[in-house]
Amino acid sequence: MSNDAPLSGSALTITAAGYTAEIASVGATLRALRYEGRDLVVPFDADEVRPAFRGAVLAPWPNRVVDGRYSFGGVEHELALTEPRRQHALHGLVAWTDFRIVAHEPDRAVLGTTVPAQVGYPFRVEVLVEYRVDAVGFHTTITGTNTGADAAPWGTGPHPYLVGGEGRVDDWTLTLPAAQVLEVTEDRLIPTGLAPVHDEFDLCTATRIGPRFIDHAYTGFDRDADGIATVVLTAADGHGVRASFGPECPWVQVHTADHVIPEYHRAGLAVEPMTCAPDAFNAGAEAGLVVLEPGASHVASWTIDAV
C-alpha cells in the first residue's frame, strides 16, 4: 500500500449485473456493496479507519477465543487479548493486515496474505480471498492453506453488517431458519451450551426484530438440496438482502449492532457465516474446528444478494 492510499487501504471496485462492491485492502474488507444503488451492507468511507470489524475477513478464527488461551496438539498457547473489555482474543489475526492484490478484473478481485508463525499461533497459513459479482449476487470464497510443517487450527468467516432497507435494525424483518442457539454469559459472552431456539431467539419464520438484543451464534439450519442455508432480512416494502452459505459454514453469528456510538447503533445487522463456533479453539471438532495438515487447504464460501 502506498503512502497516498486511503486509510482503509488500496481500493478495488468490481461490478456486474447491477451489483457494485468496493473492497479495501486492509483486512480484505468489503467496504460497500450496492445493488442498483441500494446499500446491502453498512458502508464506510475509503479514507476512514474501518469501524471495528465492519466487512473484514476473520481468520484464522472467527469470533472469540476465551481468555486468549487454548491447547492444540498437547501444547498450551496464549494469544494477545484483542477484546480488552471482555478479555478475549477476537476475530483472528488478519483483520488489520494490508492484503496484497493478487488479481483484479472488472467483476472479480483476489487478495492474499500470510499469517506468519507467531507467539500464540505458531503456525503459518496462506489466506486467499476471492470476491466476485454476477447476476446471482456477491460471492466470497476464502481459502486457507497450511504452508508450515505442523498441523494448524483453522476457522474463518466474514463480518458484514447487512442493511434491510430504510430505517434501522428494529424496523426490519428477519428469517433465520436455525434450530439451535449457543447460549452465552451476559457479561463476557462465554459459551455455556447449545439450546433449542426459544423466546426472542426463535426467528425461524419471518419476524420483526424490534428492540430485541442478539449477539449469539446459531446452528442446525434448514438447508436446501444443495446444502445451502439462507438468512433473509427485509424492510417494510418487502425489499432487502439475503446471505446464503454452504455446509462448510455450519454456524452463523448474528448481532443487532448495539453500540455506544449513535451513528453505529443498530445501523445494520451483523450476519457472519462461520466455519466453526465461538471458542472453537477450545471446543474442538464438535464445534467445527478445522485441523489443517501441512500442505492442506480448506475452502469456505458464501453469497450476499438483493431481495
Side-chain angles (χ1 to χ4, degrees), residues 183-290:
E183 297 186 318
V184 294
T185 62
E186 183 175 351
D187 53 349
R188 299 182 64 208
L189 302 184
I190 296 173
T192 59
L194 273 174
V197 292
H198 57 280
D199 303 325
E200 70 269 27
F201 300 114
D202 185 353
L203 299 148
C204 290
T205 58
T207 303
R208 184 175 176 272
I209 297 172
R212 75 189 70 204
F213 167 79
I214 304 172
D215 195 358
H216 294 74
Y218 288 78
T219 192
F221 286 92
D222 288 339
R223 296 179 181 269
D224 67 16
D226 296 320
I228 304 299
T230 301
V231 176
V232 184
L233 184 68
T234 56
D237 64 3
H239 292 295
V241 60
R242 276 184 293 246
S244 304
F245 43 95
E248 69 273 23
C249 293
W251 295 84
V252 67
Q253 180 81 15
V254 176
H255 182 212
T256 45
D258 299 73
H259 207 288
V260 295
I261 300 176
E263 64 196 88
Y264 298 169
H265 184 66
R266 298 176 78 87
L269 183 75
V271 176
E272 310 161 39
M274 302 184 298
T275 61
C276 58
D279 201 33
F281 273 31
N282 284 302
E286 66 180 22
L289 181 68
V290 173

Side-chain angles (χ1 to χ4, degrees), residues 75-98:
V75 179
E76 299 291 327
H77 300 285
E78 187 171 355
L79 296 155
L81 301 181
T82 52
E83 189 181 25
R85 184 165 66 89
R86 296 193 178 105
Q87 294 288 286
H88 302 313
L90 184 64
H91 288 334
L93 299 169
V94 302
W96 297 104
T97 296
D98 187 29

